[in-house]
Structure formats: structure tokens, C-alpha cells
Amino acid sequence: MHYVCFLGAITVLHDDVTKAHILERPSEPPMHASQLHLLTHFADHRPHLFQKKLCVDPLIFDNILDQISDHPIFQNQSNNKQLPVAIQLAIFLNCAGHYGNASCPEDIAQWAGVSVRTVINCMNRVMAAILNQHDEFIYMPSAHSKEMQHAQEYTESQTCCSWRNGVFAADGSAINLFSKPGRYSEMFFDRKSNYLLNCQLVIMPHNLRIVDYALGQPGSVHDAYTSQGTHIAQDHATLIPCGHWTWADTAYPTEKWCVCVMPFKKPRGGEPKPKAEYI
């Protein structure tokens, strides 16, 4: 057992050294031209460019910053001080909001004017701070809470009084993989000829709050199966208030707590035709 732990520690140290060391000293120092100072201008005068870079509005950025700034991971006693939390968050959001080559540490390092190792450290710190806020933002409101009342009022305004208790909505989304996995790759190959992971979300439509989720199922798996990984599917009698339910499409199983609906269906060669098909 100790031998296995020792090998694991060696592997971790080897990965850290691989990311930090320089195999060959370059003839010229690497180019770094920070563009972080542009974010302040974008936030004040061109918020659409701010959103393009960080994939959030300036107000949302400030809200996230307020939530994570006090986390102990951003504090140390070293003489080599960390970057300001706002800069670390900007680096994280820029990397998390892009895909492929645009999200590689080398490109993020050139954009932020920092080293590749700094990008990796910022990503790790911000992710740890955000995960620490998980239970504060992702939870099921109680049946008599104000949030549940707002959800019922919104649903009633969009449908009718009889459907006001349908305050949740479930659907699946795909997370594309950068490349073909080395092991069990065919499990991740979906019907649209992509390699991806499945993400199942259960939200409240009135404010888009995420109340439940399931991650990690390979792309070849159907929504009816991946939805079983959510807490709601496993313990719906406790989590969903009596008389309430979740809206979903016909890919999901029909249950007392899950109402499958296909409100619109587009016929061939014509405009979308309203068609109520409630199962």
C-alpha cells in the first residue's frame, strides 16, 4: 500500500516538474504582451467585448469576485505574492470560456502576460474557490420559500393556473472533447459523430438556477439513462415538493414528477406548427 502511494507521489512530482522546467533555453525570452488592462475599458465602454473575452457580463464577473475573494487559497505567507484575485479570475474565465487551441495554457499566458505555470496555478485556485461555493448556489428551494413562489408565478404566467407547479425543467447538453480519448474511445462517440461527454441539468426556468446536475457520462449514452445520475431522479420523493414536477422532452421517462412535453413540431416544407403533445 505504501509502495503504491509512493509511486503516486512520484507521478505527481514528475508532472509538476514537466510543466515547470525548460528543456532548452531559448535564444530570446518568450513574448508576453498582457491585454488584461483592456478589460477595464471593455467593462466601462464595450461590455460586449468584455463578454466575448470572459463569457460573462461585467456585473456577473464582480459578483463572482465578491464570492470567492475571501477564500484562503488566495492567501499565502510567501515573499512571492499571488496575482490579484480579479486577474486570476479573468485568466480562469478566459480559459474556461474557450475551446481548442484558444484555451491552451500557452495562448492564455501570452494573452495575460504571465507564465504557463501561473496560468495553471490560477486555474487550480479559482476552481477550488468556486467549488467551495457549490452548496450555497446549487440547491433545491423548499416548497414554501419565496423563490418557489416566484417560480410558480412565472410558470403560471407562461402557461396556465393548472400547470403552475411545473417549476423545474430538465435537459441534456454536450461537452465536446478536444481529441479522441485514448481508451474506450468508441464509448464517447455519439450519433452526431463527435467525441463528447454528457451534462444533465435541472433548472428553474424563472431565474435559470441550477438545482441538480449529472456529469461525466460518455456521449453514446441516451438522456433517459444519464438523467438517472441526478439526485432528483434517485430521490425525487424527498427533493421535489408534493404536487410539483419537472418539464422534460420525450427523451425522458414519464413519471409523476417528470412530465414529458413536445409543444412545437416543425413539419416538412412549412413553418413551425404548434402542436400540443403532453404525455
Side-chain angles (χ1 to χ4, degrees):
M1 184 67 179
H2 295 290
Y3 176 73
V4 174
C5 295
F6 181 68
L7 288 180
I10 292 178
T11 302
V12 172
L13 291 173
H14 177 270
D15 292 341
D16 288 341
V17 172
T18 302
K19 295 175 182 176
H21 80 307
I22 299 176
L23 296 177
E24 180 180 355
R25 182 175 296 276
S27 57
E28 297 180 359
M31 297 291 293
H32 293 291
S34 175
Q35 301 180 40
L36 291 170
H37 63 281
L38 296 176
L39 294 177
T40 302
H41 174 77
F42 292 161
D44 295 335
H45 303 287
R46 297 185 177 183
H48 66 285
L49 293 179
F50 185 96
Q51 186 179 31
K52 183 178 180 181
K53 284 296 183 183
L54 303 187
C55 298
V56 296
D57 293 329
L59 180 60
I60 301 299
F61 179 89
D62 291 339
N63 289 338
I64 298 175
L65 184 61
D66 292 339
Q67 293 293 331
I68 68 173
S69 292
D70 295 334
H71 195 279
I73 201 168
F74 298 116
Q75 303 173 9
N76 59 23
Q77 304 299 324
S78 173
N79 292 327
N80 186 16
K81 298 297 182 181
Q82 295 186 24
L83 292 173
V85 181
I87 294 179
Q88 297 194 52
L89 178 59
I91 291 174
F92 171 83
L93 291 175
N94 184 279
C95 185
H98 292 82
Y99 176 74
N101 293 334
S103 66
C104 69
E106 290 77 11
D107 282 3
I108 302 299
Q110 292 181 3
W111 172 78
V114 297
S115 67
V116 172
R117 187 61 191 176
T118 298
V119 172
I120 296 173
N121 288 338
C122 291
M123 293 288 294
N124 293 339
R125 295 189 193 111
V126 174
M127 180 57 70
I130 290 178
L131 289 176
N132 190 62
Q133 302 288 323
H134 179 280
D135 294 342
E136 183 175 348
F137 292 96
I138 299 180
Y139 63 90
M140 184 70 67
S142 61
H144 304 292
S145 64
K146 290 185 177 180
E147 186 168 6
M148 188 66 74
Q149 294 176 8
H150 293 326
Q152 291 171 328
E153 293 170 358
Y154 174 84
T155 303
E156 182 177 350
S157 68
Q158 300 296 316
T159 57
C160 64
C161 180
S162 300
W163 293 350
R164 71 190 314 267
N165 287 341
V167 294
F168 306 111
D171 200 2
S173 182
I175 302 176
N176 291 329
L177 300 178
F178 178 70
S179 61
K180 178 180 178 180
R183 300 181 65 183
Y184 307 110
S185 57
E186 297 308 316
M187 293 180 61
F188 298 89
F189 193 71
D190 77 330
R191 60 186 178 82
K192 297 181 180 179
S193 302
N194 296 315
Y195 291 96
L196 50 82
L197 293 174
N198 280 305
C199 171
Q200 289 288 322
L201 291 180
V202 182
I203 67 169
M204 303 185 75
H206 77 292
N207 61 0
L208 303 183
R209 173 188 288 278
I210 298 174
V211 297
D212 198 6
Y213 64 91
L215 298 171
Q217 292 288 351
S220 60
V221 178
H222 195 269
D223 282 344
Y225 179 81
T226 56
S227 63
Q228 298 176 14
T230 61
H231 291 293
I232 286 180
Q234 299 172 7
D235 195 15
H236 52 83
T238 302
L239 296 176
I240 297 183
C242 181
H244 293 66
W245 66 85
T246 299
W247 298 108
D249 59 31
T250 53
Y252 293 79
T254 302
E255 305 284 352
K256 290 183 178 180
W257 55 272
C258 182
V259 178
C260 299
V261 57
M262 186 185 295
F264 295 99
K265 187 174 182 180
K266 185 176 181 179
R268 293 183 179 179
E271 295 298 325
K273 178 181 179 181
K275 183 177 181 180
E277 294 182 357
Y278 302 102
I279 301 175

